[in-house]
Amino acid sequence: MTSVPTPIPSRTQYVLDAIKHRILTGRLTPGQALVETELAAQYGVSKTPVREALKTLAGTGLVVMSQYKGVTVRMVDADMAREVYDVRLLLEPEALRRAVRRGASLDAARDALARADAATDTAERSLANREFHRALYLPCGNPLLGRMLDEVRDQAALVSAVAWATDPSWEREAAEHREILRLALDGDADGAASALHSHIASFVRRAFPSDTEPRPEEGHQ
């Protein structure tokens, strides 16, 4: 059988996945420069798939392309965090409410929660937490709603990575995840949605408190 050369899109996807993983697990930090030649050498590809991968990452809001500074990992500030989490607050609890009312399977959420609990490092925990949230909203019955939330999940993960670097709060969040899933599995759609709303809101308030409100006391929100 004649071997078929790997097409450029596959190489681009490989580079895209690798860079995204490093950003979302904090191995590439906000403001860090992403140099095409260095990345190409690191991943053993030409500059073309690297360039295409960086364009895609810019489209999802994970990197910024500047004529003067080149490509850098997106900086996270309070305004950016609140914008992203505001979208989640508007959409994600409603998606979960609909999923529970439909009687959708939440096995994927249960599995993701178990992987997060068993994680041995921040990278594994971060990826499992992302999958937990996605498993809650994806079976909502409205594919467009799911895609809209997918569009902000990378930026939300970037916010989380930055916040965790200064205040590792995943144990608190894991307890909140367990309560959200318990309510959902009990068929309490409104209770699960309310708990998810509180979970999302308390995280961004805790990690990026506004100048006009006091920092919340430690404890379950």
Side-chain angles (χ1 to χ4, degrees):
M1 179 180 293
T2 304
S3 62
V4 178
T6 304
I8 287 178
S10 296
R11 292 198 292 270
T12 300
Q13 189 64 47
Y14 163 70
V15 175
L16 173 64
D17 291 343
I19 297 174
K20 180 191 287 190
H21 184 272
R22 293 176 66 194
I23 292 174
L24 297 182
T25 55
R27 290 171 182 158
L28 289 171
T29 56
Q32 186 168 341
L34 301 175
V35 182
E36 286 183 11
T37 52
E38 294 177 1
L39 292 169
Q42 183 175 351
Y43 295 119
V45 298
S46 70
K47 290 197 297 183
T48 299
V50 172
R51 186 177 303 116
E52 293 303 314
L54 292 176
K55 286 180 182 177
T56 300
L57 291 169
T60 63
L62 286 182
V63 307
V64 176
M65 290 182 155
S66 166
Q67 180 179 353
Y68 304 103
K69 294 183 179 180
V71 183
T72 56
V73 180
R74 182 174 181 177
M75 296 294 293
V76 174
D77 58 22
D79 287 341
M80 178 267 198
R82 293 188 193 112
E83 287 175 5
V84 171
Y85 273 68
D86 188 42
V87 172
R88 292 186 64 194
L89 283 169
L90 289 169
L91 300 180
E92 201 167 322
E94 177 60 24
L96 174 58
R97 181 183 284 109
R98 294 184 179 197
V100 175
R101 286 178 176 169
R102 293 179 70 235
S105 171
L106 296 174
D107 288 346
R110 197 201 313 261
D111 292 344
L113 189 58
R115 289 198 304 275
D117 287 341
T120 57
D121 60 30
T122 303
E124 290 180 23
R125 189 177 292 110
S126 174
L127 294 172
N129 281 347
R130 294 178 71 221
E131 289 307 313
F132 172 78
H133 279 273
R134 190 168 192 261
L136 293 180
Y137 68 69
L138 207 58
C140 66
N142 185 329
L144 177 58
L145 180 54
R147 288 196 298 272
M148 291 172 70
L149 283 163
D150 272 351
E151 286 185 6
V152 299
R153 75 192 283 255
D154 285 348
Q155 295 180 57
L158 179 59
V159 171
S160 296
V162 171
W164 281 356
T166 57
D167 179 21
S169 58
W170 47 75
E171 289 186 5
R172 176 210 315 270
E173 288 147 39
E176 294 172 355
H177 284 173
R178 284 190 285 272
E179 176 63 8
I180 293 164
L181 184 58
R182 183 190 70 78
L183 291 165
L185 292 174
D186 286 347
D188 186 351
D190 290 336
S194 178
L196 178 57
H197 188 283
S198 296
H199 167 69
I200 296 170
S202 66
F203 176 83
V204 75
R205 282 200 308 268
R206 193 166 60 243
F208 298 92
S210 71
D211 295 334
T212 58
E213 65 178 351
R215 190 178 182 89
E217 293 294 326
E218 292 295 320
H220 180 77
Q221 297 294 320

